[in-house]
Amino acid sequence: MDTQQKILEVGDGHMPALGFGTWQVEGKECVESVADALLVGYRHVDTAEAYENEREVGAGVRRSGVDREKVWITTKVWWEHLSRDECIASAEASLDRLDLGWIDLLLIHWPAYDVPMDEPLAAFRELQARGVTRHIGVSNFTPAMVRRALDVAPVSCIQAEYHPWLAQDELIQIARDHDIAFTAYSPLGRGRVAQDETLREIAEHHGKSPAQVALRWLLQQPPVAAIPRASSPEHRRENFDIFDFVLADDEMERVAALAEGYRIIDPEFAPAWDR
Ligand code: NAP
């Protein structure tokens, strides 16, 4: 049995594959949730300037008392801030708000349709050279956009929506081919896991919950990471307790067969996904 947290190589860094998502976790609740997640054992926290909680994420990490070097912090620059100067200002403001010394992974949150991607990627390289961020990556990029980004910058992680109801074969294959990481966001389908009969059957067989099966399914795929959010302390503990069982090949296939193109996050500024 694999009882250890899975660690992914991201550039020359090491990113724990199970992270804690913080979208819509704000204020005091955010400070407490992040500190509690670190107490449980999470060593990777996902935030963004757009979540308006970077100060609280930083405070939660400090409150936990866990050594900063042992925690992986991902944050993101919003798509309306991708001109060179705005990008630099945005990342520096995130660094200030987090107040944790550096950012481990800085992502372009969404591609912008009005700014060529070379501009923010060049700014990200500058920020990386200055030590503002240790690693850079992209989020919500189509496969064609990711290929283009990989041509011009040392992108070491792709973040995208991924759960049993939305396949991401092409992006994951790109990650494998380029030896970079792939982080699944909304990995619990925003709670849909709890209602799924297939996940429930597999979960019963292992004495686990449907959420644990979904997270295990994600992490058993190289090089996939997942960042579940949980405001409930019980859910936070449950979601971290996935390193003592293994899904068999046929169970992996049964979960993969649930894919039906169900996309939860699809705002009006999203790219045309099939291009
Ligand atoms: P998610 O993690 O798929 O689902 C969160 C929901 O699942 C919450 O309602 C939570 O309830 C529930 N839940 C948590 N653990 C559970 C369990 N063990 N059993 C049953 N239900 C459970 O959704 P998400 O927040 O959309 O995605 C996770 C993170 O990904 C975000 O927080 C954010 O950091 C990141 N993200 C990034 C992007 C991007 O554009 N790059 C977009 C979306 C999300 P409770 O809160 O009651 O525990």
Side-chain angles (χ1 to χ4, degrees):
M1 287 280 173
D2 120 44
T3 54
Q4 297 294 313
Q5 162 76 288
K6 171 181 167 186
I7 305 288
L8 291 172
E9 285 186 17
V10 172
D12 61 0
H14 296 95
M15 180 175 85
L18 186 61
F20 182 61
T22 67
W23 186 21
Q24 294 172 330
V25 186
E26 289 158 19
K28 195 165 158 268
E29 188 203 345
C30 181
V31 180
E32 284 163 5
S33 305
V34 169
D36 181 60
L38 291 167
L39 179 74
V40 171
Y42 294 82
R43 291 291 179 269
H44 166 177
V45 184
D46 182 84
T47 180
E49 64 167 324
Y51 300 173
E52 297 184 351
N53 64 6
E54 290 170 309
R55 274 183 217 289
E56 290 78 10
V57 166
V61 172
R62 286 190 298 280
R63 182 183 293 186
S64 74
V66 174
D67 181 0
R68 169 68 184 95
E69 276 288 353
K70 297 205 161 72
V71 185
W72 182 277
I73 300 290
T74 297
T75 193
K76 318 182 188 84
V77 175
W78 190 239
W79 67 271
E80 289 166 305
H81 302 155
L82 295 184
S83 69
R84 182 210 169 262
D85 290 354
E86 284 174 299
C87 206
I88 303 267
S90 164
E92 285 175 344
S94 287
L95 182 71
D96 275 357
R97 285 189 294 266
L98 285 162
D99 195 15
L100 291 170
W102 68 91
I103 295 163
D104 293 283
L105 175 63
L106 185 67
L107 303 177
I108 297 180
H109 202 151
W110 289 86
Y113 47 79
D114 54 349
V115 181
M117 75 169 79
D118 293 22
E119 188 169 335
L121 288 169
F124 271 37
R125 294 191 73 155
E126 259 181 82
L127 290 158
Q128 190 178 23
R130 283 175 39 209
V132 171
T133 186
R134 292 189 171 174
H135 309 283
I136 65 176
V138 297
S139 169
N140 296 306
F141 273 36
T142 65
M145 290 170 168
V146 172
R147 287 195 188 91
R148 167 83 188 126
L150 281 161
D151 280 345
V152 297
V155 165
S156 50
C157 185
I158 306 167
Q159 186 176 127
E161 179 175 339
Y162 185 38
H163 45 66
W165 306 281
L166 180 67
Q168 286 290 14
D169 298 354
E170 198 175 346
L171 286 176
I172 292 172
Q173 193 55 51
I174 294 174
R176 287 181 187 154
D177 291 346
H178 291 265
D179 209 12
I180 64 173
F182 176 96
T183 301
Y185 78 63
S186 303
L188 304 173
R190 294 219 124 186
R192 181 173 168 179
V193 282
Q195 286 102 50
D196 189 274
E197 202 41 51
T198 302
L199 294 180
R200 191 182 302 278
E201 274 178 36
I202 298 173
E204 272 171 20
H205 174 70
H206 289 278
K208 289 284 175 180
S209 72
Q212 289 172 320
V213 169
L215 294 171
R216 185 73 216 182
W217 175 76
L218 289 165
L219 263 56
Q220 272 184 225
Q221 304 170 54
V224 177
I227 45 172
R229 167 176 58 98
S231 33
S232 127
E234 292 75 25
H235 283 159
R236 281 199 283 279
R237 282 156 180 77
E238 181 182 320
N239 297 345
F240 197 75
D241 182 19
I242 59 165
F243 298 106
D244 61 351
F245 76 113
V246 177
L247 296 177
D249 291 349
D250 64 314
E251 293 172 322
M252 292 293 289
E253 283 160 23
R254 280 184 74 195
V255 179
L258 296 173
E260 57 180 24
Y262 173 66
R263 197 179 278 282
I264 302 167
I265 312 287
D266 198 11
E268 57 183 16
F269 51 81
W273 296 110
D274 50 0
R275 260 191 258 149

